[in-house]
Amino acid sequence: MSNNSKTPLDDVLEFIHSKKDKSIGDSIVSTIYQNAETISKSVTTVDDKRKVKWDEKIDNILTSKITGYPIMLLLLGIIFWITIEGANYPSQLLSDFFFSLEDKITGIFNYMNAPDWLHGILVLGIYRTLGWVVSVMLPPMAIFFPMFTLLEDLGYLPRVAFNLDNMFRKSGTHGKQALTMSMGFGCNAAGVIACRIIDSPRERLIAIITNNFVPCNGRFPILISLSMIFIGGIVASQYSSLLASLSIVFMVLIGIYVTLIVSKILSKTILKGVPSSFTLELPPYRKPQIGSILVRSLLDRTIFVLGRAVIVAAPAGAVTWLVANITIGDVSILNHVAGFLNPFGELLGLDGFILMAFILGLPANEIVLPILIMSYMSKGAMLELESLDSLKNLLLNNGWNIITAINFMLFSLLHFPCATTLLTIRKETNSTKWALFTFLLTTSVAIIVTFIINSLANLIGIF
Amino acid sequence: MGLTSQSSGLSLLKAKFNIQRKSESQIVIALAGNPNTGKSTLFNHLTGLNQHTGNWPGKTVANAQGTFTYKDKEFLLVDLPGTYSILASSVEEEVARDFICFGNPNLTIVITDATCLERNLNLALQVMEITDNVIVCLNLMDEAERKGIYIDLKKLQEFLGVPVIPTVAKDGKGVDELLEVIHQFTENKLELKPYKVKYEESIETLVTQIEEKLTPIISDIFNTRWIGLRLLDGDEKILSTINSIINDSYEGGIDDE
């Protein structure tokens, strides 16, 4: 065959260009629509005998400009409240179980005359981290996910997207970003993959870069436990769960707000463009299938996330134990690095150990808190967490106050994505540059926000 | 209809859609439909795969695929992304369209929502422009009934010229009937004469002229009428896809000589 630069198809194209005018395309499309209309009209009869159209009534309330947002926040708040109230007791049971088992394991190590360092790495490092991750994360997830999946199954999430759609378009991005953002509540890596549903490369990038600003379930436990300790603790105990739930809702709102602001800034600067339009269809409400909700939320999500956390937490626990126990001079490596980071941490209302924990927690957000606790312990291993009170005392003894807690939550909300998400971003955008950009952007936002909060607090003189 | 070249279809199946038939005898079925019509639910019913189904648009972006056997015949079912049309204004539409047109499935099932037939027929009509081998599923019959919507199935079937099967996918209702119709298709017992949209005189003339030019080049692989319409519609991206496919078959031609 000849390799003519002009293919036979180019001839066809030339012919079409000579004949074509814009109205042809419109005419083709509208002819198809007219045909569909004619056929459907001639075969369909509608005789709606229902006195009340429930679905329309419900939609009017759930997506109304006045009641839409309050209902959304209320539902979110209720879910968090049930999660907090319900997770306490099973968390306690699990942690009792893990730590009573630890004594037995230590006994076995002693019996076998195992060296101290081996016991340190395996039991104080790996086992305790695992015990912590499982007892703190499993109960909230086992409650939170089924409820979230229930809302998804009922058809509520598309209504959320519908409510948020307008705000995203005002930010110069695609309305579908409301959906990908919602996915991010489960897992940011999943949220980033979900951005495939956005066609425009510009809007897709914005959605990918900003997905991390909503807390994934690796970060919810941090928000939940810290808001219970520091914010719920402000008021009398019967109101503390309520106030804690409210503060988590507030954190989520901050995350969404930052998402919108950063999206807007990106769409006005390096990713300029006009938002493309799309029609978001509200699917009908469906009766949820309870069995499949449980299977999906418990097996597909809870066990999956927990499994991932465990896989990452085990080596991280070992590494943390090592850096906390290997000393250079008289000071452990951990203390060296924390001391180096401390001045910067204090600028943000945090400290060197906290920054260190976030850095070591890069593989998975789930382990940030366990690492921090381990670092605070003098012997370099995590404490036996008998209750959240002992966690509170530990934090207070290390100089925490409410600003530290708020900034810790904010930093967790806004800082760099976990390694999995970063790798996913690289894969989805096919460029290391955008993964790196996301890393720098989110970290800068976290630093700026915590710095401002801390400066304000210093200025007002709260502490 | 010119959709006959097995080789080009198969290589494209493999390369672009990451789909591989286990054997020549396996029958490839594409599952198309608007978002939220119960496509994934039907897919799960047929294949037994427990794919995650969420209740919002745009969930199936990549193709899901699964296999099933009915009366000793093996089928490969490909779940296409949910789209309102396949005029390719979005990634999902392009994936769905390219698969139906170039992926060369043996049969395409269009699943429609009985509660809003008009919008769903748009897609069905567009699919029937590409291929004759179409079956229409009228899903969500229970919801339609609840809303007092009645559809004259016989009349619709006469209009469309292809089998129309009422289903309630979530309960598995109508799935047996669907399987039976699929079986009849494999035995060549179905008479498929899909309704073809007629356009205004000037467009029909142009399409005929374009078809005359296309026929010597690609008629053995593609539906020239449909390609002509897409080109007139201003979709020139389709040409690059065609180019890449015929270049492959050109090389094959040299080897044969």
Side-chain angles (χ1 to χ4, degrees), chain A residues 1 7-13 15-17 19-21 24-29 31-50 55 152-155 157-158 176 179 182-183 194 196-199 279-281 283-286 289 295-296 300-301, chain B residues 35-36 50 52-59 61-62 84-85 87 89-92 117-119 121-122 125-126 129 140 143 146-152 155-156 159-160 170 195 197-200 203 206 209-210 213-214 217-218 229-234 236 239 242-243 246 250 254:
Chain A
M1 281 293 153
T7 68
L9 282 172
D10 287 335
D11 283 339
V12 182
L13 208 52
F15 170 76
I16 290 167
H17 281 268
K19 298 281 179 186
K20 210 178 86 174
D21 73 274
I24 292 182
D26 293 343
S27 166
I28 289 179
V29 175
T31 307
I32 299 175
Y33 278 55
Q34 278 159 16
N35 276 265
E37 193 187 338
T38 315
I39 297 177
S40 113
K41 281 217 171 111
S42 68
V43 300
T44 311
T45 42
V46 182
D47 175 23
D48 199 341
K49 290 195 186 92
R50 291 173 304 166
D55 44 353
E152 187 182 330
D153 237 43
L154 282 167
L157 288 196
K176 275 189 198 166
L179 285 176
S182 306
M183 291 275 220
R196 288 180 189 171
I197 65 174
I198 299 171
D199 317 317
T279 39
L280 184 69
E281 186 213 11
Y285 294 98
R286 304 259 158 87
Q289 296 161 312
V295 170
R296 255 157 49 201
D300 292 2
R301 294 195 179 171
Chain B
N36 274 300
N50 196 8
H52 174 87
T53 52
N55 190 6
W56 65 33
K59 163 180 46 71
V61 178
Y84 295 107
S85 102
L87 301 173
S89 63
S90 75
V91 181
E92 290 109 318
L117 187 61
E118 182 183 329
R119 195 183 54 206
L121 278 185
N122 270 325
L125 292 182
Q126 289 173 31
E129 260 186 340
L140 301 169
E143 272 181 40
R146 228 179 6 255
K147 288 185 176 170
I149 299 169
Y150 298 100
I151 293 167
D152 187 337
K155 206 165 161 192
L156 180 61
F159 256 117
L160 296 181
K170 76 170 162 34
Y195 176 94
V197 176
K198 279 267 168 289
Y199 298 93
E200 59 182 80
I203 294 179
L206 272 177
Q209 285 172 329
I210 297 171
K213 291 181 185 293
L214 286 174
I217 321 171
I218 56 170
L229 281 165
R230 292 289 71 73
L231 291 175
L232 273 176
D233 190 14
E236 289 174 8
L239 276 186
I242 295 172
N243 254 328
I246 50 178
Y250 274 173
I254 292 169

Side-chain angles (χ1 to χ4, degrees), chain A residues 285-303:
Chain A
Y285 294 98
R286 304 259 158 87
K287 206 175 94 204
Q289 296 161 312
I290 302 296
S292 82
I293 286 183
L294 287 177
V295 170
R296 255 157 49 201
S297 57
L298 293 181
L299 290 182
D300 292 2
R301 294 195 179 171
T302 310
I303 301 298

